Amino acid sequence: MVEEITQLTSVVDGVIANAGTSLQAPMDVAINLFGAVGTVEGLLPLLNQSDAPRVCITASAASLHPAHDGLLEAMLTGDRATAAAIGEQLASAGGMAGYLNYSSSKQAVTRWIRRNATTERFAGAGISLNAVAPGVVITPMTEQLFATEEGRQQMEQGMPSPLNGPARAEDIAAAICFLTSTAAGKITGQVLFVDSGYDALTRGDSSW
């Protein structure tokens, strides 16, 4: 992808690393963390040619959920082999252990953003680096769950949406458009929760 874009243009104004999976498997780690970071870092030379470069990565409110310390460490040190091995172990264990692949990958990407946003590579080069963190979103992937009362209760228990219920894709897109616009030119290193209030409900005063 990076090679093809480089062939098509010499400058990129904005990068939205939005692709993600929720498979409770090592693919979540490969896509949600290494894929996002690889996309952004691969396009840095083209972002450096822009007058107002900005980056937005899609994280998740699941970054507030429990994570696996060993998997986090492997991801944040770029140790793909160890991350994949731990991810396989978690997936094989089944149940909530497999989910740690997803929640850990989303926590890792938010930590990566916080660690890198103010570095010379990003802030020093005038590149803003932020994330959106959606809560529950009605998409083709979740529509079947919302079709039954049992499914709706399951989603609400796992990630409540106090402000008018779950979000729509358009709600997340609007936040991404803002963070990749010149209107957000002084915002960097931030994780914008677009979660109908789940972050506030979960963390309360601890966010301060």
Side-chain angles (χ1 to χ4, degrees):
M1 181 271 294
V2 170
E3 292 177 357
E4 185 172 344
I5 290 175
T6 303
Q7 292 173 3
L8 293 172
T9 183
S10 60
V11 58
V12 167
D13 293 313
V15 173
I16 299 169
N18 185 56
T21 61
S22 180
L23 303 172
Q24 287 73 60
M27 184 61 75
D28 295 342
V29 173
I31 299 296
N32 300 344
L33 185 277
F34 292 123
V37 171
T39 296
V40 174
E41 292 187 333
L43 293 173
L44 272 178
L46 303 186
L47 283 163
N48 283 323
Q49 302 306 310
S50 172
D51 293 330
R54 49 261 185 204
V55 173
C56 184
I57 296 176
T58 300
S60 170
S63 61
L64 302 175
H65 291 170
H68 187 280
D69 290 341
L71 182 54
L72 275 175
E73 178 67 18
M75 285 189 284
L76 290 171
T77 57
D79 187 346
R80 295 182 182 227
T82 299
I86 295 173
E88 288 288 0
Q89 293 171 2
L90 293 171
S92 297
M96 287 304 296
Y99 179 74
L100 291 173
N101 277 294
Y102 179 72
S103 60
S104 299
S105 72
K106 292 302 188 179
Q107 188 174 134
V109 80
T110 60
R111 290 193 186 190
W112 183 84
I113 288 166
R114 296 288 286 179
R115 292 179 182 184
N116 285 273
T118 57
T119 63
E120 281 300 311
R121 289 196 307 159
F122 289 94
I127 303 171
S128 66
L129 174 62
N130 297 290
V132 292
V136 175
V137 184
I138 299 175
T139 68
M141 184 177 71
T142 60
E143 276 178 343
Q144 289 185 340
L145 278 172
F146 285 112
T148 67
E149 181 60 29
E150 181 183 359
R152 288 191 291 272
Q153 290 181 2
Q154 179 184 341
M155 296 294 281
E156 185 63 19
Q157 289 172 359
M159 192 176 286
S161 306
L163 179 63
N164 301 324
R168 298 278 178 178
E170 292 83 355
D171 299 316
I172 316 304
I176 291 172
C177 287
F178 167 67
L179 288 175
T180 52
S181 73
T182 53
K186 282 302 195 179
I187 300 174
T188 197
Q190 299 302 305
V191 179
L192 178 58
F193 284 87
V194 190
D195 61 358
S196 301
Y198 177 69
D199 169 45
L201 188 67
T202 304
R203 292 198 297 170
D205 285 351
S206 68
S207 63
W208 301 103

